[in-house]
C-alpha cells in the first residue's frame, strides 16, 4: 500500500471517530446478557443493512451444531439465540477474503450498587467509554464496522469478501462462532477485536465449566451430628480441586512460563440447602477451570473427577454417595496461533503504521472464539484489540485513544489484505 493511501485511511478513521464512539455507546446501552441478545442483534443487522451489506440473521439450533467438534453442551433454551452476519461481496474479487468476528453477548453486571454509574447507561469520562460490554467487546465489534466505514468514506470497498460477524454465546460456550462455521462461512483470515490491550493473543488456554452435585443427609439441626451437611462437604472437594490447580501452575506450559499464575480454578456459583434449621441435603457448585495446550478435554475431565472422587473417599457418607460431576458450558480446547504468518505480517505492518510501534503478542489465560477458526476450519485467526479494564468486573471501560488506533489498524488491514475497488457511486 502506498503512503498516501495509508495516510488517507488513517485520516478517514479519525474523521469518523466521534460517530464511532456514539455508535459504540448505542450498542453498549443494549443489555445483551445471555438470552437477551436479540435486540442488540437486530440493531447490528440494521447497521449492516444500512451499509448495503447482505444480512444473514438466523436462529441457532442446537441439533445443527451438537455433532461438530468444539461444541459445548448447553442447559438453557436457544429460543432467542440469533447470530447476525453482514456480507460484503466485491464486484470483482482480487484480494483475500476476511472474517471480522465479534461477540455481542455480555456477562451479568453483578450488584448494581457496586457500579459508579449504571452499567447500561454508557458515558465517556477522561478518555474512556464506560459500560458493561464496552470493552468486552462492543468496542471491538463496532471498530470492525467503523474500519469498513473508513474505507467506504474514501470511495472504496474491499476487493474481496468481508464477513462482519456479530455472534452470541462467546462468554459461555462459543456455540455462536461454531454456528457461523456450520452455516458455511469461511475466509482466508479471521480477526477478532477482543480487548487484547493493543496487541494480539499468541495463545489461549483451554477452559472448562462443570458442576459438582453433592448430597447430604438432612436432619433437624438440633441433632446435626446425625446428619451430613452437603454444603460443608463441598469444602474439602473444592480444596482438592485447588490442589490440582496448584499442580498445573507448578508444572507449567513453556508458553506461560513468565506468567505469575496462568491456571485459575474458580468456584463461581454455589447453591444448596432448603431451610436454615435443617442440615442441608444437597449442594451444587459451579467451577470454571483452565488448562494448557497438550492437555485433552478427556484427560482434564479425568483429573477433575479423580480429585473429586479422592476427596469424597475420605468421607464415610460421600464414599457411598459419590458426588456427581456434570459438564455444561465451556468445553473449550486450548489454541496456539498457527499458520498465521501472512496474516500476522499484514497486521504487524498495519499496527506499526497506526501506532508507530511494533505489534506485541502475548499468551492469555482465558479463551476466545479464535479457536473455532484456527482449530476446526483451518482459518488463520488473530485476536487483536484495544485496551480495556475491569471487564467482567465493575465500571468496565474501553480506552478511546486505543480504540481509535486499533480501528485504524483494522482499516489498514482490510485495505492491504483484501485490496480495494472503487465503490459504485
Ligand atoms: Zn470477549
Amino acid at each position: 500500500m502506498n503512503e498516501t493511501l495509508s495516510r488517507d485511511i488513517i485520516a478517514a478513521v479519525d474523521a469518523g471517530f466521534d460517530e464511532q464512539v456514539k455508535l459504540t455507546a448505542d450498542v453498549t446501552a443494549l443489555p445483551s446478557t445471555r438470552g437477551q441478545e436479540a435486540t442488540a442483534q437486530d440493531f447490528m443487522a440494521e447497521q449492516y443493512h444500512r451499509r448495503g451489506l447482505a444480512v444473514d440473521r438466523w436462529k441457532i439450533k442446537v441439533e445443527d451444531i451438537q455433532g461438530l467438534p468444539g461444541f459445548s453442551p448447553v442447559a438453557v433454551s436457544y429460543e432467542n439465540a440469533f447470530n447476525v452476519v453482514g456480507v460484503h461481496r466485491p464486484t470483482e474479487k482480487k484480494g483475500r477474503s476476511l472474517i471480522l468476528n465479534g461477540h455481542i453477548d455480555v456477562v451479568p453486571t453483578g450488584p448494581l450498587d457496586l457500579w459508579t454509574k449504571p452499567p447500561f447507561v454508557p458515558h465517556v469520562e477522561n478518555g474512556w467509554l464506560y459500560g458493561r460490554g464496552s470493552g468486552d467487546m462492543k468496542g471491538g465489534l463496532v471498530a470492525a464496522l467503523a474500519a469498513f466505514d473508513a474505507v467506504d468514506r474514501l470511495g472504496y470497498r474491499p476487493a474481496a469478501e468481508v464477513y462482519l460477524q456479530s455472534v452470541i454465546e462467546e462468554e459461555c460456550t462459543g456455540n455462536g462462532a461454531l454456528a457461523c462455521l456450520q452455516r458455511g462461512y469461511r475466509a482466508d483470515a479471521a480477526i477478532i477485536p477482543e480487548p487484547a490491550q493493543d496487541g494480539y493473543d499468541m495463545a489461549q488456554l483451554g477452559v472448562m465449566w462443570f458442576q459438582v452435585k453433592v448430597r447430604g443427609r438432612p436432619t433437624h439441626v438440633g441433632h446435626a451430628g446425625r446428619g451430613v451437611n452437603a454444603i460443608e462437604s463441598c469444602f474439602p472437594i473444592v480444596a482438592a480441586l485447588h490442589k490440582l490447580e496448584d499442580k498445573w501452575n507448578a508444572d507449567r506450559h513453556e508458553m506461560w512460563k513468565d506468567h505469575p499464575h496462568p491456571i485459575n480454578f474458580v468456584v463461581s456459583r454455589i447453591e444448596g440447602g432448603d431451610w436454615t434449621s435443617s442440615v442441608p441435603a444437597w449442594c451444587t457448585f459451579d467451577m470454571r477451570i483452565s488448562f494448557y495446550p497438550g492437555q485433552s478435554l478427556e484427560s482434564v475431565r479425568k483429573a477433575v473427577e479423580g480429585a473429586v472422587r479422592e476427596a469424597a473417599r475420605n468421607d464415610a457418607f460421600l464414599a457411598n454417595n459419590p458426588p456427581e460431576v456434570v459438564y455444561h458450558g465451556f468445553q473449550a480446547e486450548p489454541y496456539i496461533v498457527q499458520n498465521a504468518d501472512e496474516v500476522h505480517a499484514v497486521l504487524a505492518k498495519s499496527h506499526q503504521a497506526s501506532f508507530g510501534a511494533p505489534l506485541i503478542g502475548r499468551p492469555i489465560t482465558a479463551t476466545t472464539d479464535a479457536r473455532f477458526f484456527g482449530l476446526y476450519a483451518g482459518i488463520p485467526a488473530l485476536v487483536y484489540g484495544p485496551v480495556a479494564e475491569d471487564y467482567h468486573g465493575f465500571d468496565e471501560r474501553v480506552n478511546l485513544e486505543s480504540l481509535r488506533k486499533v480501528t485504524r489498524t483494522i482499516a489498514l488491514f482490510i485495505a492491504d489484505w483484501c485490496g480495494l475497488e472503487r465503490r459504485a457511486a
Side-chain angles (χ1 to χ4, degrees):
M1 194 188 331
N2 69 50
E3 286 253 332
T4 318
L5 180 59
S6 174
R7 256 202 315 271
D8 287 352
I9 288 173
I10 285 175
V13 169
D14 292 352
F17 192 63
D18 287 348
E19 204 178 302
Q20 179 184 344
V21 173
K22 161 103 180 43
L23 188 57
T24 308
D26 288 347
V27 184
T28 304
L30 301 170
S32 49
T33 49
R34 193 184 201 188
Q36 309 296 320
E37 307 92 343
T39 307
Q41 289 292 58
D42 290 345
F43 185 92
M44 292 307 294
E46 171 60 22
Q47 292 297 325
Y48 297 150
H49 177 72
R50 267 188 217 172
R51 286 155 177 88
L53 305 176
V55 178
D56 184 13
R57 179 179 180 278
W58 76 98
K59 189 191 272 195
I60 301 173
K61 292 203 196 90
V62 172
E63 58 265 35
D64 289 344
I65 55 174
Q66 62 190 0
L68 298 174
F71 174 75
S72 287
V74 280
V76 296
S77 160
Y78 272 10
E79 202 39 55
N80 223 8
F82 290 92
N83 266 351
V84 176
V85 178
V87 182
H88 160 74
R89 293 189 177 87
T91 314
E92 188 191 342
K93 180 169 175 162
K94 292 187 199 125
R96 294 164 284 190
S97 59
L98 174 64
I99 289 170
L100 291 168
N101 170 288
H103 65 86
I104 194 97
D105 55 315
V106 301
V107 299
T109 58
L112 293 180
D113 58 350
L114 289 169
W115 288 74
T116 309
K117 291 191 179 165
F120 295 115
V121 185
H123 70 282
V124 173
E125 201 177 306
N126 294 328
W128 297 79
L129 174 69
Y130 285 77
R132 168 59 85 232
S134 58
D136 187 10
M137 58 163 287
K138 288 169 173 175
L141 184 70
V142 173
L145 194 56
F148 187 85
D149 286 347
V151 168
D152 185 80
R153 198 169 288 125
L154 296 173
Y156 293 110
R157 287 257 155 153
E161 295 84 359
V162 174
Y163 305 96
L164 292 160
Q165 300 184 337
S166 177
V167 303
I168 62 167
E169 286 281 309
E170 193 276 344
E171 297 286 3
C172 43
T173 59
N175 288 343
L178 180 61
C180 287
L181 291 183
Q182 189 271 332
R183 192 92 169 162
Y185 289 106
R186 297 290 185 279
D188 296 318
I191 300 283
I192 307 181
E194 288 269 15
Q197 315 301 330
D198 290 345
Y200 79 99
D201 299 347
M202 296 166 69
Q204 59 188 47
L205 293 172
V207 169
M208 187 180 287
W209 283 10
F210 57 84
Q211 260 183 348
V212 180
K213 293 175 183 271
V214 180
R215 293 279 163 192
R217 187 192 294 131
T219 54
H220 190 283
V221 289
H223 34 83
R226 283 187 223 156
V228 174
N229 187 323
I231 294 177
E232 295 194 22
S233 291
C234 291
F235 303 163
I237 299 173
V238 170
L241 287 163
H242 278 309
K243 242 184 225 163
L244 190 59
E245 175 191 16
D246 292 344
K247 185 165 174 283
W248 291 356
N249 274 309
D251 222 2
R252 73 182 52 180
H253 188 284
E254 58 159 20
M255 204 115 203
W256 284 266
K257 66 180 189 311
D258 297 324
H259 195 284
H261 198 268
I263 299 294
N264 292 290
F265 284 28
V266 178
V267 183
S268 35
R269 294 186 70 236
I270 188 160
E271 234 185 322
D274 301 299
W275 189 249
T276 309
S277 281
S278 301
V279 170
W282 66 280
C283 185
T284 299
F285 68 87
D286 289 33
M287 199 175 235
R288 174 273 191 198
I289 67 168
S290 52
F291 52 97
Y292 299 116
Q295 290 180 277
S296 69
L297 290 167
E298 200 188 339
S299 75
V300 169
R301 287 184 200 123
K302 244 182 161 161
V304 164
E305 287 162 28
V308 171
R309 204 168 42 237
E310 198 56 37
R313 212 174 269 153
N314 297 324
D315 180 293
F317 179 83
L318 291 187
N320 291 307
N321 298 275
E324 193 190 347
V325 182
V326 181
Y327 302 91
H328 61 76
F330 280 126
Q331 305 294 311
E333 294 187 270
Y335 169 58
I336 299 177
V337 171
Q338 53 202 346
N339 304 321
D341 291 353
E342 267 182 74
V343 189
H344 179 270
V346 174
L347 188 68
K349 201 163 57 160
S350 307
H351 177 89
Q352 177 74 45
S354 172
F355 282 79
L359 176 65
I360 290 169
R362 307 175 187 92
I364 63 162
T365 56
T367 186
T368 73
D369 279 342
R371 68 186 183 279
F372 292 97
F373 302 104
L375 293 177
Y376 312 124
I379 300 171
L382 288 181
V383 171
Y384 167 83
V387 172
E389 291 179 358
D390 288 326
Y391 37 102
H392 295 226
F394 304 114
D395 294 343
E396 175 176 352
R397 57 205 173 273
V398 63
N399 183 280
L400 292 179
E401 189 53 18
S402 161
L403 189 63
R404 188 169 65 86
K405 289 184 177 159
V406 159
T407 308
R408 292 163 157 192
T409 305
I410 298 172
L412 292 165
F413 182 91
I414 292 174
D416 199 329
W417 184 261
C418 307
L420 296 177
E421 63 179 27
R422 277 271 157 214
R423 163 164 52 78

